[in-house]
Amino acid sequence: MSARLFDDRRYPRTSFARFVVDPEKCNACRKCVDTCPGQLLKLVDDVPVNRHETGESALGCIGCKNCFAVCPEGAIDVRGQYRVEEGYYRTTLGAPAFPNPFGDPEAPPFEELAPKLTPVERVIYQRRSVRLFKKKAVPEAILRRVVEAGRFAPSQGNCQPWRFVVITDRALLDRIGEECGRRVAPVAGMYVRSGGGALRERLKTLAVNALSRLTPNNFDQRLAHGIDTVANDERWDMFLHAPALILVLGDKRGIGEPLIDCMLAAHNVVLAAHSLELGTCYVGFVKMIETLPELKRDLGIEWPFKVMTSIAVGWPRTRADRAVARERPRVTWFPADRSGPREE
Ligand SMILES: Cc1cc2nc3c(=O)[nH]c(=O)nc-3n(C[C@H](O)[C@H](O)[C@H](O)COP(=O)(O)O)c2cc1C
Ligand code: SF4
Ligand code: SF4
């Protein structure tokens, strides 16, 4: 392991998805530029350009396909996929594919599939993270309605270890965004920003590699660039300018792993919201509230509760409910005839 700590690079060999735009169809509306979570795109001569290809971003396209989902002109194609080819974060996923719940030899276009699906299935496949919101407020009655869906999630031992904090106070949202952004900024400084000489760069790489072994979830290059965006891009708002935020808190005494129960509750909220034509985006950076005692106190978060996640909620500024291709995970079957295991 120690040899790898020195060998691994901050940016392992990676093949990125390819953002492809048809300039004939593009109307320069900027929606793809504003929605890209890695802030990878910029308009040049009224056409979006990938900043990785111009050498301005070490991270390329991660293939989330949000640009494809929001483009009103159908001008975008995202080809290929994000694959780390080597090292600690090597990707283990299979090739991406569109939803094909009926196992057709060829997945049909989603428009053909949709009428055969239940309303719940349609919401599951068409829900995309929404990062472009109208300013228009979400009525309290509707926020109550979606939080209500959270309450009916399953939980270990039926212990229901959740609490919700609903915030529509813009000044408070700005404060949370700024304070959490300042807390995560050093990670971007260590990972993304270069300079300071070869020795310093080598030490930063060594520190990133060592920390990734201690806390594997926090040193993926995609997260580092997400942090750089929330901490250093003045145009980016951590809560995506959404008019409402639902903080999901978890009771630390919840049976087993309360994070699981709380995320099930959170996703009930998300699915209910999308079924009502609202848009949502999870915002994980709010976990930093745990390191900000004054803010935590002002939000009324005290033992036994801790921040699990949050959901930005609002009315989408543009249609984003498109099905997209997703990677296939490995599935192992142990059939009743005992012919297993069979890997797919
Ligand atoms: C727990 C969690 C935290 C997330 N945090 C953020 C975030 O802070 N900011 C953001 O723009 N997206 C965030 N996302 C959204 C993911 O980037 C998104 O789900 C992923 O790219 C897949 O895209 P889709 O949701 O459109 O299918 C988060 C998602 C999850 C599940
Ligand atoms: S969203 Fe589509 S139409 Fe708008 S700038 Fe991007 S490619 Fe062009
Ligand atoms: S697929 Fe995602 S990461 Fe890639 S350009 Fe589009 S929005 Fe950005």
Side-chain angles (χ1 to χ4, degrees):
M1 175 180 130
S2 55
R4 286 228 66 98
L5 278 183
F6 287 98
D7 295 348
D8 278 6
R9 288 174 286 155
R10 276 210 310 280
Y11 290 100
R13 193 159 49 84
T14 305
S15 49
F16 294 103
R18 210 150 61 81
F19 169 86
V20 181
V21 64
D22 180 345
E24 298 296 316
K25 291 186 182 167
C26 174
N27 68 11
C29 71
R30 279 193 68 91
K31 285 178 177 156
C32 56
V33 176
D34 293 340
T35 202
C36 176
Q39 286 297 276
L40 188 68
L41 306 173
K42 66 173 185 180
L43 282 193
V44 176
D45 297 333
D46 283 348
V47 177
V49 170
N50 179 339
R51 292 171 55 244
H52 179 65
E53 284 171 11
T54 60
E56 293 162 78
S57 170
L59 189 79
C61 172
I62 64 168
C64 73
K65 300 188 175 70
N66 220 264
C67 50
F68 163 87
V70 301
C71 176
E73 304 296 335
I76 294 174
D77 193 8
V78 179
R79 297 187 192 150
Q81 60 257 15
Y82 171 90
R83 288 285 177 271
V84 178
E85 315 276 6
E86 62 181 5
Y88 190 66
Y89 287 104
R90 195 173 63 80
T91 310
T92 58
L93 290 161
F98 277 92
N100 188 8
F102 306 117
D104 292 346
E106 285 275 314
F110 191 76
E111 299 71 49
E112 271 174 43
L113 177 66
K116 296 191 224 161
L117 300 174
T118 65
V120 174
E121 285 176 311
R122 277 201 289 274
V123 173
I124 288 172
Y125 295 128
Q126 291 183 267
R127 176 216 57 82
R128 298 274 68 79
S129 292
V130 169
R131 299 187 178 88
L132 302 174
F133 290 101
K134 289 182 183 161
K135 284 206 172 96
K136 189 175 144 195
V138 182
E140 193 176 308
I142 297 191
L143 289 170
R144 281 182 191 280
R145 182 164 167 182
V146 296
V147 170
E148 188 68 352
R151 193 159 76 82
F152 285 83
S155 61
Q156 297 168 78
N158 196 27
C159 65
Q160 304 165 66
W162 41 67
R163 238 194 84 191
F164 303 95
V165 180
V166 184
I167 307 170
T168 52
D169 173 344
R170 188 70 247 170
L172 183 55
L173 288 175
D174 289 344
R175 178 180 166 204
I176 301 171
E178 275 159 29
E179 293 192 20
C180 290
R182 273 203 297 276
R183 268 291 190 267
V184 290
V187 175
M190 177 161 56
Y191 202 118
V192 179
R193 304 280 145 188
S194 52
L199 177 64
R200 200 175 146 82
E201 279 299 293
R202 203 161 148 66
L203 286 173
K204 281 183 357 179
T205 299
L206 183 63
V208 164
N209 290 336
L211 289 165
S212 68
R213 271 40 170 207
L214 290 173
T215 152
N217 321 100
N218 294 321
F219 286 89
D220 185 299
Q221 57 184 342
R222 290 168 293 189
L223 177 62
H225 279 255
I227 288 173
D228 194 39
T229 300
V230 298
N232 299 317
D233 187 328
E234 280 172 11
R235 285 177 312 136
W236 191 264
D237 172 44
M238 185 178 283
F239 303 122
L240 313 148
H241 305 285
L245 185 78
I246 301 174
L247 268 180
V248 182
L249 311 183
D251 186 331
K252 293 180 194 170
R253 302 160 307 164
I255 297 168
E257 292 173 62
L259 176 62
I260 294 176
D261 300 349
C262 291
M263 291 310 290
L264 293 172
H267 211 55
N268 268 12
V269 171
V270 163
L271 295 180
H274 282 260
S275 76
L276 289 160
E277 299 187 358
L278 284 162
T280 66
C281 188
Y282 283 104
V283 180
F285 296 113
V286 291
K287 283 186 285 188
M288 287 297 127
I289 293 172
E290 287 297 320
T291 67
L292 295 158
E294 230 173 88
L295 181 59
K296 203 173 160 186
R297 192 198 58 219
D298 292 348
L299 289 166
I301 303 169
E302 52 193 27
W303 198 92
F305 288 95
K306 72 179 239 193
V307 179
M308 297 301 197
T309 194
S310 74
I311 306 160
V313 185
W315 303 108
R317 183 144 60 84
T318 189
R319 182 178 178 271
D321 54 347
R322 291 224 173 107
V324 299
R326 274 286 148 78
E327 281 85 343
R328 288 181 196 278
R330 205 170 89 184
V331 181
T332 309
W333 295 82
F334 286 90
D337 65 7
R338 310 200 72 195
S339 61
R342 195 178 73 234
E343 298 281 353
E344 277 177 9

PDB file of all heavy atoms in Angstrom, residues 14-36:
ATOM      1  N   THR A  14      -7.956   8.692 -16.429  1.00  0.00           N
ATOM      2  CA  THR A  14      -9.426   8.657 -16.490  1.00  0.00           C
ATOM      3  C   THR A  14      -9.878   8.905 -17.920  1.00  0.00           C
ATOM      4  O   THR A  14      -9.325   9.773 -18.599  1.00  0.00           O
ATOM      5  CB  THR A  14     -10.017   9.792 -15.608  1.00  0.00           C
ATOM      6  OG1 THR A  14      -9.498   9.668 -14.290  1.00  0.00           O
ATOM      7  CG2 THR A  14     -11.532   9.740 -15.558  1.00  0.00           C
ATOM      8  N   SER A  15     -10.877   8.142 -18.370  1.00  0.00           N
ATOM      9  CA  SER A  15     -11.496   8.543 -19.642  1.00  0.00           C
ATOM     10  C   SER A  15     -12.814   9.207 -19.290  1.00  0.00           C
ATOM     11  O   SER A  15     -13.571   8.695 -18.459  1.00  0.00           O
ATOM     12  CB  SER A  15     -11.684   7.364 -20.588  1.00  0.00           C
ATOM     13  OG  SER A  15     -12.304   6.302 -19.916  1.00  0.00           O
ATOM     14  N   PHE A  16     -13.031  10.352 -19.853  1.00  0.00           N
ATOM     15  CA  PHE A  16     -14.216  11.144 -19.530  1.00  0.00           C
ATOM     16  C   PHE A  16     -15.299  10.952 -20.593  1.00  0.00           C
ATOM     17  O   PHE A  16     -15.016  10.567 -21.723  1.00  0.00           O
ATOM     18  CB  PHE A  16     -13.841  12.628 -19.452  1.00  0.00           C
ATOM     19  CG  PHE A  16     -12.912  12.928 -18.312  1.00  0.00           C
ATOM     20  CD1 PHE A  16     -11.565  13.138 -18.527  1.00  0.00           C
ATOM     21  CD2 PHE A  16     -13.392  12.963 -17.005  1.00  0.00           C
ATOM     22  CE1 PHE A  16     -10.696  13.386 -17.463  1.00  0.00           C
ATOM     23  CE2 PHE A  16     -12.539  13.212 -15.940  1.00  0.00           C
ATOM     24  CZ  PHE A  16     -11.187  13.422 -16.170  1.00  0.00           C
ATOM     25  N   ALA A  17     -16.534  11.233 -20.170  1.00  0.00           N
ATOM     26  CA  ALA A  17     -17.620  11.265 -21.150  1.00  0.00           C
ATOM     27  C   ALA A  17     -17.361  12.456 -22.074  1.00  0.00           C
ATOM     28  O   ALA A  17     -16.607  13.365 -21.738  1.00  0.00           O
ATOM     29  CB  ALA A  17     -18.958  11.406 -20.435  1.00  0.00           C
ATOM     30  N   ARG A  18     -17.978  12.435 -23.250  1.00  0.00           N
ATOM     31  CA  ARG A  18     -17.735  13.515 -24.209  1.00  0.00           C
ATOM     32  C   ARG A  18     -19.009  14.320 -24.413  1.00  0.00           C
ATOM     33  O   ARG A  18     -20.056  13.760 -24.742  1.00  0.00           O
ATOM     34  CB  ARG A  18     -17.248  12.938 -25.544  1.00  0.00           C
ATOM     35  CG  ARG A  18     -16.324  13.877 -26.300  1.00  0.00           C
ATOM     36  CD  ARG A  18     -15.332  13.095 -27.135  1.00  0.00           C
ATOM     37  NE  ARG A  18     -16.024  12.275 -28.119  1.00  0.00           N
ATOM     38  CZ  ARG A  18     -16.493  12.718 -29.284  1.00  0.00           C
ATOM     39  NH1 ARG A  18     -16.364  13.975 -29.642  1.00  0.00           N
ATOM     40  NH2 ARG A  18     -17.096  11.893 -30.120  1.00  0.00           N
ATOM     41  N   PHE A  19     -18.909  15.622 -24.120  1.00  0.00           N
ATOM     42  CA  PHE A  19     -20.026  16.542 -24.332  1.00  0.00           C
ATOM     43  C   PHE A  19     -19.992  16.960 -25.802  1.00  0.00           C
ATOM     44  O   PHE A  19     -19.008  17.511 -26.271  1.00  0.00           O
ATOM     45  CB  PHE A  19     -19.831  17.761 -23.415  1.00  0.00           C
ATOM     46  CG  PHE A  19     -20.759  18.895 -23.709  1.00  0.00           C
ATOM     47  CD1 PHE A  19     -22.032  18.935 -23.147  1.00  0.00           C
ATOM     48  CD2 PHE A  19     -20.367  19.928 -24.547  1.00  0.00           C
ATOM     49  CE1 PHE A  19     -22.888  19.987 -23.427  1.00  0.00           C
ATOM     50  CE2 PHE A  19     -21.216  20.974 -24.831  1.00  0.00           C
ATOM     51  CZ  PHE A  19     -22.477  21.009 -24.264  1.00  0.00           C
ATOM     52  N   VAL A  20     -21.078  16.651 -26.506  1.00  0.00           N
ATOM     53  CA  VAL A  20     -21.109  16.971 -27.941  1.00  0.00           C
ATOM     54  C   VAL A  20     -22.330  17.851 -28.194  1.00  0.00           C
ATOM     55  O   VAL A  20     -23.440  17.526 -27.762  1.00  0.00           O
ATOM     56  CB  VAL A  20     -21.231  15.679 -28.789  1.00  0.00           C
ATOM     57  CG1 VAL A  20     -21.228  15.999 -30.273  1.00  0.00           C
ATOM     58  CG2 VAL A  20     -20.101  14.720 -28.449  1.00  0.00           C
ATOM     59  N   VAL A  21     -22.114  18.977 -28.885  1.00  0.00           N
ATOM     60  CA  VAL A  21     -23.227  19.885 -29.152  1.00  0.00           C
ATOM     61  C   VAL A  21     -23.380  20.094 -30.654  1.00  0.00           C
ATOM     62  O   VAL A  21     -22.391  20.129 -31.382  1.00  0.00           O
ATOM     63  CB  VAL A  21     -23.019  21.230 -28.402  1.00  0.00           C
ATOM     64  CG1 VAL A  21     -21.807  21.983 -28.898  1.00  0.00           C
ATOM     65  CG2 VAL A  21     -24.264  22.091 -28.463  1.00  0.00           C
ATOM     66  N   ASP A  22     -24.630  20.204 -31.077  1.00  0.00           N
ATOM     67  CA  ASP A  22     -24.899  20.502 -32.482  1.00  0.00           C
ATOM     68  C   ASP A  22     -25.109  22.016 -32.594  1.00  0.00           C
ATOM     69  O   ASP A  22     -26.160  22.534 -32.190  1.00  0.00           O
ATOM     70  CB  ASP A  22     -26.161  19.736 -32.920  1.00  0.00           C
ATOM     71  CG  ASP A  22     -26.519  19.998 -34.368  1.00  0.00           C
ATOM     72  OD1 ASP A  22     -25.984  20.962 -34.941  1.00  0.00           O
ATOM     73  OD2 ASP A  22     -27.341  19.241 -34.912  1.00  0.00           O
ATOM     74  N   PRO A  23     -24.122  22.758 -33.119  1.00  0.00           N
ATOM     75  CA  PRO A  23     -24.229  24.228 -33.147  1.00  0.00           C
ATOM     76  C   PRO A  23     -25.417  24.712 -33.965  1.00  0.00           C
ATOM     77  O   PRO A  23     -25.938  25.808 -33.733  1.00  0.00           O
ATOM     78  CB  PRO A  23     -22.900  24.692 -33.760  1.00  0.00           C
ATOM     79  CG  PRO A  23     -22.157  23.483 -34.150  1.00  0.00           C
ATOM     80  CD  PRO A  23     -22.906  22.258 -33.752  1.00  0.00           C
ATOM     81  N   GLU A  24     -25.861  23.900 -34.914  1.00  0.00           N
ATOM     82  CA  GLU A  24     -27.012  24.298 -35.734  1.00  0.00           C
ATOM     83  C   GLU A  24     -28.293  24.366 -34.901  1.00  0.00           C
ATOM     84  O   GLU A  24     -29.179  25.172 -35.146  1.00  0.00           O
ATOM     85  CB  GLU A  24     -27.239  23.285 -36.877  1.00  0.00           C
ATOM     86  CG  GLU A  24     -26.095  23.166 -37.856  1.00  0.00           C
ATOM     87  CD  GLU A  24     -25.885  24.475 -38.594  1.00  0.00           C
ATOM     88  OE1 GLU A  24     -26.895  25.052 -39.015  1.00  0.00           O
ATOM     89  OE2 GLU A  24     -24.722  24.917 -38.702  1.00  0.00           O
ATOM     90  N   LYS A  25     -28.387  23.482 -33.900  1.00  0.00           N
ATOM     91  CA  LYS A  25     -29.609  23.449 -33.076  1.00  0.00           C
ATOM     92  C   LYS A  25     -29.516  24.405 -31.885  1.00  0.00           C
ATOM     93  O   LYS A  25     -30.536  24.842 -31.350  1.00  0.00           O
ATOM     94  CB  LYS A  25     -29.845  22.030 -32.543  1.00  0.00           C
ATOM     95  CG  LYS A  25     -30.241  21.022 -33.610  1.00  0.00           C
ATOM     96  CD  LYS A  25     -30.587  19.703 -32.935  1.00  0.00           C
ATOM     97  CE  LYS A  25     -30.950  18.612 -33.910  1.00  0.00           C
ATOM     98  NZ  LYS A  25     -30.981  17.308 -33.276  1.00  0.00           N
ATOM     99  N   CYS A  26     -28.321  24.706 -31.405  1.00  0.00           N
ATOM    100  CA  CYS A  26     -28.133  25.474 -30.158  1.00  0.00           C
ATOM    101  C   CYS A  26     -28.624  26.914 -30.321  1.00  0.00           C
ATOM    102  O   CYS A  26     -28.298  27.591 -31.289  1.00  0.00           O
ATOM    103  CB  CYS A  26     -26.651  25.459 -29.795  1.00  0.00           C
ATOM    104  SG  CYS A  26     -26.261  26.505 -28.397  1.00  0.00           S
ATOM    105  N   ASN A  27     -29.412  27.387 -29.304  1.00  0.00           N
ATOM    106  CA  ASN A  27     -29.888  28.779 -29.354  1.00  0.00           C
ATOM    107  C   ASN A  27     -29.191  29.656 -28.318  1.00  0.00           C
ATOM    108  O   ASN A  27     -29.673  30.727 -27.974  1.00  0.00           O
ATOM    109  CB  ASN A  27     -31.416  28.823 -29.172  1.00  0.00           C
ATOM    110  CG  ASN A  27     -31.821  28.400 -27.755  1.00  0.00           C
ATOM    111  OD1 ASN A  27     -30.964  28.278 -26.872  1.00  0.00           O
ATOM    112  ND2 ASN A  27     -33.104  28.179 -27.526  1.00  0.00           N
ATOM    113  N   ALA A  28     -28.076  29.166 -27.765  1.00  0.00           N
ATOM    114  CA  ALA A  28     -27.238  29.929 -26.814  1.00  0.00           C
ATOM    115  C   ALA A  28     -27.989  30.329 -25.543  1.00  0.00           C
ATOM    116  O   ALA A  28     -27.707  31.359 -24.947  1.00  0.00           O
ATOM    117  CB  ALA A  28     -26.655  31.164 -27.502  1.00  0.00           C
ATOM    118  N   CYS A  29     -28.912  29.481 -25.080  1.00  0.00           N
ATOM    119  CA  CYS A  29     -29.718  29.845 -23.902  1.00  0.00           C
ATOM    120  C   CYS A  29     -28.936  29.731 -22.582  1.00  0.00           C
ATOM    121  O   CYS A  29     -29.387  30.183 -21.551  1.00  0.00           O
ATOM    122  CB  CYS A  29     -30.972  28.971 -23.828  1.00  0.00           C
ATOM    123  SG  CYS A  29     -30.609  27.258 -23.392  1.00  0.00           S
ATOM    124  N   ARG A  30     -27.780  29.076 -22.593  1.00  0.00           N
ATOM    125  CA  ARG A  30     -26.898  28.927 -21.406  1.00  0.00           C
ATOM    126  C   ARG A  30     -27.381  27.898 -20.396  1.00  0.00           C
ATOM    127  O   ARG A  30     -26.760  27.718 -19.347  1.00  0.00           O
ATOM    128  CB  ARG A  30     -26.766  30.258 -20.631  1.00  0.00           C
ATOM    129  CG  ARG A  30     -25.794  31.238 -21.164  1.00  0.00           C
ATOM    130  CD  ARG A  30     -25.557  32.334 -20.118  1.00  0.00           C
ATOM    131  NE  ARG A  30     -24.869  31.816 -18.952  1.00  0.00           N
ATOM    132  CZ  ARG A  30     -23.568  31.798 -18.817  1.00  0.00           C
ATOM    133  NH1 ARG A  30     -22.807  32.286 -19.762  1.00  0.00           N
ATOM    134  NH2 ARG A  30     -23.017  31.278 -17.735  1.00  0.00           N
ATOM    135  N   LYS A  31     -28.512  27.244 -20.638  1.00  0.00           N
ATOM    136  CA  LYS A  31     -29.035  26.345 -19.597  1.00  0.00           C
ATOM    137  C   LYS A  31     -28.039  25.239 -19.276  1.00  0.00           C
ATOM    138  O   LYS A  31     -27.843  24.883 -18.112  1.00  0.00           O
ATOM    139  CB  LYS A  31     -30.382  25.773 -20.030  1.00  0.00           C
ATOM    140  CG  LYS A  31     -31.472  26.819 -19.897  1.00  0.00           C
ATOM    141  CD  LYS A  31     -32.816  26.356 -20.336  1.00  0.00           C
ATOM    142  CE  LYS A  31     -33.833  27.476 -20.086  1.00  0.00           C
ATOM    143  NZ  LYS A  31     -35.003  27.372 -20.931  1.00  0.00           N
ATOM    144  N   CYS A  32     -27.391  24.684 -20.289  1.00  0.00           N
ATOM    145  CA  CYS A  32     -26.408  23.611 -20.028  1.00  0.00           C
ATOM    146  C   CYS A  32     -25.241  24.160 -19.214  1.00  0.00           C
ATOM    147  O   CYS A  32     -24.740  23.498 -18.297  1.00  0.00           O
ATOM    148  CB  CYS A  32     -25.922  23.002 -21.341  1.00  0.00           C
ATOM    149  SG  CYS A  32     -25.223  24.201 -22.493  1.00  0.00           S
ATOM    150  N   VAL A  33     -24.828  25.391 -19.525  1.00  0.00           N
ATOM    151  CA  VAL A  33     -23.700  26.005 -18.805  1.00  0.00           C
ATOM    152  C   VAL A  33     -24.063  26.176 -17.333  1.00  0.00           C
ATOM    153  O   VAL A  33     -23.283  25.851 -16.437  1.00  0.00           O
ATOM    154  CB  VAL A  33     -23.367  27.385 -19.434  1.00  0.00           C
ATOM    155  CG1 VAL A  33     -22.268  28.096 -18.642  1.00  0.00           C
ATOM    156  CG2 VAL A  33     -22.968  27.219 -20.892  1.00  0.00           C
ATOM    157  N   ASP A  34     -25.266  26.666 -17.084  1.00  0.00           N
ATOM    158  CA  ASP A  34     -25.658  26.975 -15.696  1.00  0.00           C
ATOM    159  C   ASP A  34     -25.991  25.733 -14.879  1.00  0.00           C
ATOM    160  O   ASP A  34     -25.933  25.776 -13.659  1.00  0.00           O
ATOM    161  CB  ASP A  34     -26.864  27.933 -15.696  1.00  0.00           C
ATOM    162  CG  ASP A  34     -26.474  29.293 -16.242  1.00  0.00           C
ATOM    163  OD1 ASP A  34     -25.267  29.593 -16.253  1.00  0.00           O
ATOM    164  OD2 ASP A  34     -27.367  30.043 -16.684  1.00  0.00           O
ATOM    165  N   THR A  35     -26.344  24.633 -15.530  1.00  0.00           N
ATOM    166  CA  THR A  35     -26.758  23.453 -14.763  1.00  0.00           C
ATOM    167  C   THR A  35     -25.590  22.513 -14.465  1.00  0.00           C
ATOM    168  O   THR A  35     -25.676  21.718 -13.523  1.00  0.00           O
ATOM    169  CB  THR A  35     -27.860  22.676 -15.516  1.00  0.00           C
ATOM    170  OG1 THR A  35     -28.581  21.875 -14.590  1.00  0.00           O
ATOM    171  CG2 THR A  35     -27.298  21.753 -16.592  1.00  0.00           C
ATOM    172  N   CYS A  36     -24.521  22.583 -15.223  1.00  0.00           N
ATOM    173  CA  CYS A  36     -23.436  21.582 -15.096  1.00  0.00           C
ATOM    174  C   CYS A  36     -22.846  21.622 -13.686  1.00  0.00           C
ATOM    175  O   CYS A  36     -22.282  22.635 -13.278  1.00  0.00           O
ATOM    176  CB  CYS A  36     -22.353  21.847 -16.136  1.00  0.00           C
ATOM    177  SG  CYS A  36     -20.954  20.716 -15.944  1.00  0.00           S
TER     178      CYS A  36
END
